[in-house]
Amino acid sequence: MAVRKKRSISMPPDLDAEIAVAAAQAGMSYSAWLADTARKEFTLRAGLAAVSQFEQDHGAFSSGELAEAEEWATTAVERARRTGTGPGRRTA
């Protein structure tokens, strides 16, 4: 069994309710949903840092490159929705 760190957190009641609904819709526990969302946030931050470093090393992306990346991302999201690829059902 995985080791877990317990925390006591405070948040506004409306945010708490939204998290509970999102977790239930994802078939995840409240804790698992929070952990999964935090992992996604850290992945996004790492990706943004990598893009920033790439642009520092090689120059800014052109408008054509940005448009191509946007098209690729849109297609990937649509494909994931069609195939049901997405977060699995996890527990914390």
Side-chain angles (χ1 to χ4, degrees):
M1 176 171 221
V3 175
R4 300 289 184 217
K5 176 76 177 175
K6 287 194 171 256
R7 298 260 181 217
S8 175
I9 62 170
S10 299
M11 69 180 67
D14 58 329
L15 180 58
D16 174 66
E18 288 183 74
I19 292 169
V21 169
Q25 289 174 341
M28 302 168 80
S29 71
Y30 190 100
S31 294
W33 189 91
L34 283 176
D36 188 58
T37 301
R39 281 188 198 95
K40 289 174 186 173
E41 174 66 21
F42 291 131
T43 298
L44 287 171
R45 288 181 185 192
L48 291 171
V51 168
S52 179
Q53 184 62 54
F54 182 90
E55 288 186 315
Q56 287 178 19
D57 295 345
H58 304 283
F61 289 102
S62 70
S63 59
E65 289 170 323
L66 292 172
E68 184 179 336
E70 182 68 29
E71 183 179 335
W72 179 90
T74 299
T75 301
V77 169
E78 289 172 0
R79 185 174 43 251
R81 284 188 183 132
R82 281 194 312 269
T83 62
T85 305
R89 295 178 187 260
R90 300 182 197 160
T91 57

